[in-house]
Amino acid sequence: MIRSARIVGSGLIGTSIGLCLKSAGIEIEMVDIDLKSAQLAQDLVKSNQISQPDLILVAVPISANQKVIVEQLKANPNSIVCDLASVKSDLLVKVEELSDNPENFISLHPMAGREHSGAQNARADLFIGRAWVVITGSKSSDKAKSVADALIKICGGSPYQMSSKEHDLVVAQVSHLPQILSSSLAASLLEISGDKLNISGQGVRDLTRLANSDSKLWSEILLANQSSITPSLEKLISHLQGLQKSLV
């Protein structure tokens, strides 16, 4: 089903998928506008140039996601194109409006990552046992759905179907809010001296691990999904205020 794949975006997610697919015997092409990142990913994955890939994976920042999807669909009318963005909003509508072949597009989101970004931190086993959200409501062809299923299976994941709106609401609660909490807690510890922090246990390390994540990447994600994050954040703040009152 998948003999060759082009991965546009040579960060942690794109390169990890590249390593995984390469280990399954699939020919891979790694592409990135950052030449240094592209070269590192190409060396790691042993990338080859592919003219007509079966699958094109778009693993770029949210700000460039829609543009790259439409470009790849237009330039490769026989390829299945998947995006991996963590916020979907009106992506399907835009792709259907701007593309002549939206049936070749399917939107996915692998629920996996690390606090350290970049190709140098990529792992072929990053997606084993992880959920992959498959966005419903699109004009995706049966072929596109079959390719997506094959990709998820190769990576060792499990598919979960959701609408774009449902996806954005759920990830706001289970992914984006934890990131906000981790970063906020880490910021509150900056006033404590290193000597005093040395007495902290594993709990502090666990809770602040996500704070090491790429701040630029997360700024884009949080702004893109602010309409879904705000209600969850307001509810959390209300709980904390209730706790504060109970301590007085």
Side-chain angles (χ1 to χ4, degrees):
M1 177 66 73
I2 305 174
R3 294 161 299 179
S4 60
R6 174 183 299 146
I7 301 175
V8 185
S10 297
L12 172 68
I13 298 299
T15 308
S16 292
I17 293 179
L19 289 170
C20 181
L21 296 184
K22 189 72 173 185
S23 67
I26 295 169
E27 189 177 6
I28 302 296
E29 178 184 14
M30 298 298 303
V31 179
D32 200 293
I33 58 171
D34 184 323
L35 297 181
K36 189 174 181 180
S37 296
Q39 187 61 60
L40 175 57
Q42 288 163 5
D43 290 343
L44 289 170
V45 178
K46 296 179 174 55
S47 170
N48 298 306
Q49 192 168 5
I50 304 171
S51 59
Q52 295 290 329
D54 297 322
L55 171 64
I56 298 173
L57 289 164
V58 178
V60 299
I62 290 174
S63 57
N65 193 45
Q66 179 185 300
K67 178 176 180 289
V68 174
I69 291 167
V70 173
E71 287 175 348
Q72 291 296 322
L73 283 168
K74 182 177 180 180
N76 304 276
N78 297 316
S79 302
I80 299 304
V81 177
C82 300
D83 88 296
L84 306 170
S86 58
V87 181
K88 302 302 183 183
S89 59
D90 60 351
L91 178 62
L92 295 184
V93 174
K94 294 297 184 183
V95 170
E96 289 172 7
E97 287 177 353
L98 299 171
S99 173
D100 292 332
N101 51 340
E103 68 278 2
N104 286 350
F105 173 68
I106 187 163
S107 189
L108 306 174
H109 181 199
M111 298 299 293
R114 301 182 69 191
E115 67 273 22
H116 302 297
S117 60
Q120 67 272 20
N121 293 299
R123 291 170 41 174
D125 63 351
L126 186 64
F127 308 99
I128 293 177
R130 298 294 185 174
W132 284 64
V133 180
V134 181
I135 303 301
T136 60
S138 67
K139 295 182 178 179
S140 303
S141 65
D142 289 341
K143 178 183 176 182
K145 294 174 183 176
S146 295
V147 169
D149 285 343
L151 168 67
I152 295 169
K153 185 176 181 179
I154 292 168
C155 291
S158 300
Y160 292 82
Q161 294 193 350
M162 294 183 184
S163 67
S164 295
K165 183 176 181 180
E166 184 182 13
H167 165 272
D168 287 359
L169 286 170
V170 170
V171 297
Q173 295 170 322
V174 304
S175 176
H176 302 169
L177 200 59
Q179 179 66 48
I180 292 172
L181 283 169
S182 181
S183 297
S184 298
L185 178 59
S188 74
L189 297 175
L190 292 175
E191 299 175 359
I192 302 177
S193 68
D195 287 343
K196 291 184 173 63
L197 278 176
N198 286 337
I199 71 167
S200 62
Q202 190 60 41
V204 170
R205 293 179 178 85
D206 290 341
L207 288 169
T208 57
R209 178 181 61 82
L210 294 176
N212 287 321
S213 301
D214 187 332
S215 59
K216 182 179 179 182
L217 170 68
W218 272 101
S219 292
E220 281 195 20
I221 292 172
L222 298 181
L223 287 172
N225 202 29
Q226 58 181 312
S227 62
S228 296
I229 293 170
T230 299
S232 295
L233 187 57
E234 288 175 344
K235 186 177 293 186
L236 175 64
I237 290 171
S238 177
H239 286 321
L240 290 174
Q241 288 175 333
L243 175 61
Q244 183 184 36
K245 289 177 182 178
S246 70
L247 294 174
V248 176

